[in-house]
């Protein structure tokens, strides 16, 4: 089977600073990391740019520039005008077109940089109006959460299945657990929707008595400051720079992880992937109890604490000060996260694609 992949999160080698292909976070988590697996099972996979060729679609390989007509085309977050027409043409030619939907862009919060970047008023070439048409034109949608699947069925009337996010657990190294833990969050502050602000006022007391250290892994110049959102002294927050998706695992060096999520529609579509990443490094974590994390808590019941109100967060951080609690939680998480290993996700994806042809 020939599989073509076209993603807005894919940067061609000649356009990257390293001369090698680069993936954005969502594209990497949903598609990029899986590419070797269908190839290892005998399928041909071409990743690159989608081209309309006469009566069908071809994908131009990012390296060789060879154009290949796939049996199945996987499209991820492409918001250009005209893609819907191209999709319908491909389907008439017998090609199967699958969209992967990982975020519910139609509920973006204006505080998130992606809102303006994808709004038809501000971006005439790539926006959520075109994105809606593109998704509605495909054969099938793969979503990361039940929430998105339900929304896709309601809005686009397209068959949809849930393919949960998984993590390449072998890439992660378990962190140590010192007496004084570093509490941290990993991610870009530019793509948040008031999430970090729910932690405002939680940490000053812990910093004053020296019971914790704070870390933001994923700092970028010009982006909002993690310290400002938490209302703590910038000098008390260690920062490490944002890294490419394939090096993301190296950013997880904290001893306690944070998953603050503002209770808004966009975040109800969020998956539990950040928790899975923490777990893969043996990092116990505290999460706001939106649906993905309530489900994860019910499944695992170890290594994570749910916190809604400020006093819940303070209580959770206090619990995490216990070194033995963190050590015990770490061992449990390293076992539990194997249930969401990349090999399991890759098999589910391959089985799904094979069932379409």
């Amino acid at each position: 089977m020939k599989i073509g992949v076209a993603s807005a999160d894919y940067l061609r080698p000649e356009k990257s600073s390293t001369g090698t292909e680069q993936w954005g976070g969502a594209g990497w988590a949903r598609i990029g990391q899986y590419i070797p697996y269908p190839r290892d099972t005998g399928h041909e996979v071409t990743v690159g740019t989608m081209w309309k060729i006469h009566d069908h679609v071809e994908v131009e390989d990012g390296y060789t520039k060879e154009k290949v007509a796939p049996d199945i085309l996987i499209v991820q977050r492409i918001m250009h005008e005209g893609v819907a027409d191209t999709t319908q043409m491909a389907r008439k030619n017998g090609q199967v077109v699958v969209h992967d939907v990982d975020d519910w862009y139609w509920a973006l919060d204006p505080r998130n940089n992606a809102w303006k970047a994808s709004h038809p008023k501000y971006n005439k070439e790539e926006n959520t109006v075109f994105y809606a048409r593109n998704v509605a034109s495909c054969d099938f949608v793969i979503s990361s959460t039940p929430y998105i699947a339900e929304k896709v069925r309601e809005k686009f009337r397209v068959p949809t299945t849930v393919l949960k996010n998984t993590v390449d657990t072998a890439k992660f190294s378990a962190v140590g657990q010192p007496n004084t833990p570093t509490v941290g969050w990993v991610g870009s502050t530019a793509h948040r929707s008031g999430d970090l602000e729910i932690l405002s006022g939680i940490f000053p007391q812990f910093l004053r008595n020296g019971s914790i250290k704070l870390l933001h892994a994923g700092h970028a110049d010009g982006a909002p400051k993690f310290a400002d959102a938490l209302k703590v002294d910038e000098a008390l927050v260690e920062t490490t720079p944002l890294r490419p998706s394939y090096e993301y695992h190296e950013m997880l060096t904290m001893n306690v992880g944070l998953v603050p999520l503002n209770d808004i529609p966009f975040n109800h579509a969020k998956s539990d992937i950040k928790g899975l990443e923490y777990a893969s490094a043996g990092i116990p974590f505290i999460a706001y109890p939106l649906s993905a994390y309530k489900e994860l808590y019910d499944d695992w019941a170890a290594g994570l604490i749910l916190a809604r109100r400020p006093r819940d967060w303070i209580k959770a951080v206090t619990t995490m000060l216990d070194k033995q609690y963190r050590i015990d939680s770490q061992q449990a998480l390293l076992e539990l996260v194997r249930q969401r290993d990349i090999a399991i996700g890759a098999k589910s994806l391959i089985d799904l694609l094979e069932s379409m042809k």
Side-chain angles (χ1 to χ4, degrees), residues 37-228:
Y37 290 84
R39 285 175 175 164
D40 288 345
T41 55
H43 300 298
E44 181 181 341
V45 184
T46 303
V47 183
T49 306
M50 182 169 62
W51 290 81
K52 182 178 180 180
I53 308 290
H54 304 302
D55 62 347
H56 65 282
V57 169
E58 296 184 358
V59 174
E60 182 184 82
D61 184 276
Y63 286 101
T64 68
K65 305 305 177 186
E66 178 186 1
K67 290 187 176 71
V68 177
D71 302 308
I72 295 179
L73 174 65
I74 302 175
V75 182
Q76 194 259 340
R77 208 175 52 75
I78 293 182
M79 302 185 186
H80 289 90
E81 184 177 15
V83 173
D85 293 336
T86 301
T87 295
Q88 291 168 356
M89 179 198 70
R91 292 176 64 190
K92 287 180 181 178
N93 186 57
Q95 294 173 294
V96 177
V97 182
V98 179
H99 272 257
D100 181 85
V101 181
D102 184 49
D103 279 311
W104 193 244
Y105 265 75
W106 298 273
L108 269 169
D109 188 284
R111 288 169 290 186
N112 190 314
N113 283 5
W115 179 83
K116 188 173 183 179
S118 62
H119 195 289
K121 179 180 178 180
Y122 303 103
N123 191 337
K124 303 297 184 183
E125 296 183 356
E126 299 177 68
N127 58 59
T128 50
V129 172
F130 300 148
Y131 189 25
R133 294 173 188 166
N134 299 343
V135 174
S137 69
C138 72
D139 290 282
F140 203 86
V141 168
I142 301 171
S143 71
S144 54
T145 66
Y147 181 94
I148 293 176
E150 181 179 350
K151 289 292 186 182
V152 167
R153 295 184 192 112
E154 289 176 357
K155 186 175 178 68
F156 304 122
R157 308 296 182 190
V158 176
T160 307
T161 193
V162 176
L163 186 69
K164 288 187 174 183
N165 279 322
T166 58
V167 179
D168 190 349
T169 59
K171 284 190 172 183
F172 292 77
S173 298
V175 300
Q177 287 297 344
N179 292 325
T180 301
T182 295
V183 179
W185 178 79
V186 58
S188 166
T189 58
H191 295 91
R192 305 262 60 83
S193 307
D195 303 325
L196 297 173
E197 284 74 8
I198 70 174
L199 299 176
S200 175
I202 303 300
F203 296 105
Q205 59 182 307
F206 297 104
L207 293 169
R208 279 195 299 269
N209 63 28
S211 57
I212 69 165
K213 299 175 183 178
L214 270 181
L215 169 68
H216 170 216
H219 170 77
D221 292 339
K225 293 180 179 178
F226 180 78
D228 290 346

Side-chain angles (χ1 to χ4, degrees), residues 175-182 211 213 253-256 320-324 326-327 330:
V175 300
Q177 287 297 344
N179 292 325
T180 301
T182 295
S211 57
K213 299 175 183 178
T253 60
M254 62 285 292
N255 312 113
V256 176
M320 293 288 186
L321 297 181
D322 184 334
K323 180 178 179 179
Q324 191 58 50
R326 284 182 275 121
I327 291 173
Q330 180 175 78

